[in-house]
């Protein structure tokens, strides 16, 4: 499926609400991603992406057929973590399992390594999130470890994983 990664625009807010306002999307994200997801949530998120662009973050809309349907970002580490960046993403459920997110992860990682003097990009999906773990593995990330009972989400203690891709590692 064809997609584009592009900077966020204020007019994307109403487009992403139907995709973001999905408990199956929110269940695999941090609590900062609200459920239910409102227009005000979308406007606030997009405003922060636009305002902080280039200031330690790269946030991109995932656009399919002219509509924003998901989000992907890199957040540059600070202090002793300044040579690393954290990857985060979500995608509307109707676009799952079509190769969009794997390709988006590869593209944003390439941009991150070109933009910053970093050596490592990492992500921390929940261990039970097989879809996200598969995305990372197909995008060249390696499982570094499992953090037992490290996340409290929806009243449940969950394991989380640490995946990373290093500068210069070949894509699969």
């Amino acid at each position: 499926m064809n997609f584009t990664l592009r900077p966020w625009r204020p007019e994307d807010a109403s487009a992403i609400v139907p995709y973001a306002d999905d408990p199956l999307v929110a269940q695999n994200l941090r609590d900062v991603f609200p459920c239910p997801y409102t227009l005000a949530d979308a406007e606030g998120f997009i405003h922060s992406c636009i305002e902080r662009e280039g200031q330690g973050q790269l946030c991109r809309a995932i656009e399919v057929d002219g509509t924003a349907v998901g989000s992907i970002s890199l957040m540059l580490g600070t202090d002793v973590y300044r040579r690393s960046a954290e990857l985060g993403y979500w995608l509307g459920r109707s676009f799952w399992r079509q190769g969009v997110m794997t390709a988006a992860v590869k593209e944003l990682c390439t941009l991150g390594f070109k933009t910053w003097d970093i050596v490592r990009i990492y992500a921390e999906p929940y261990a039970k999130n097989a879809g996200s773990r598969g995305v990372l593995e197909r995008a060249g990330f390696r499982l570094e470890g499992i953090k037992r009972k490290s996340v409290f989400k929806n009243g449940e203690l969950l394991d989380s994983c640490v995946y990373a891709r290093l500068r210069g590692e070949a894509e699969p």
Side-chain angles (χ1 to χ4, degrees):
M1 174 173 282
N2 293 328
F3 71 94
T4 302
L5 292 188
R6 62 163 174 78
W8 284 97
R9 301 186 290 240
E11 59 269 22
D12 292 324
S14 61
I16 67 165
V17 171
Y19 298 108
D21 188 29
D22 182 341
L24 291 180
V25 170
Q27 79 181 358
N28 289 309
L29 300 174
R30 293 179 181 166
D31 287 343
V32 70
F33 188 94
C35 184
Y37 196 97
T38 67
L39 180 59
D41 295 322
E43 290 169 342
F45 169 73
I46 291 169
H47 176 76
S48 72
C49 290
I50 293 169
E51 193 167 85
R52 297 181 195 153
E53 179 64 22
Q55 300 174 25
Q57 70 179 31
L58 296 172
C59 295
R60 298 291 180 266
I62 301 170
E63 180 183 286
V64 175
D65 295 331
T67 301
V69 299
S71 179
I72 186 166
S73 63
L74 285 174
M75 300 297 177
L76 188 61
T78 59
D79 196 13
V80 296
Y81 302 104
R82 65 187 168 271
R83 300 289 302 276
S84 297
E86 184 176 11
L87 173 69
Y89 50 81
W90 67 266
L91 186 64
R93 188 172 9 151
S94 57
F95 300 94
W96 291 0
R97 295 175 193 83
Q98 297 180 44
V100 172
M101 192 53 77
T102 298
V105 166
K106 289 178 181 181
E107 186 176 326
L108 193 64
C109 287
T110 297
L111 179 61
F113 284 128
K114 284 182 181 175
T115 302
W116 296 320
D117 183 24
I118 57 174
V119 295
R120 182 175 196 277
I121 296 174
Y122 71 96
E124 296 188 356
Y126 305 152
K128 69 178 186 174
N129 186 349
S132 188
R133 293 179 68 178
V135 162
L136 294 167
E137 290 165 5
R138 288 186 297 277
F141 282 69
R142 294 184 189 170
L143 177 63
E144 294 185 331
I146 297 176
K147 300 189 314 186
R148 298 176 299 151
K149 306 227 181 282
S150 60
V151 173
F152 188 71
K153 179 73 178 180
N154 295 331
E156 183 181 8
L157 277 171
L158 304 172
D159 296 347
S160 65
C161 301
V162 178
Y163 279 85
R165 181 170 158 197
L166 302 181
R167 178 185 292 277
E169 285 184 336
E171 288 183 10

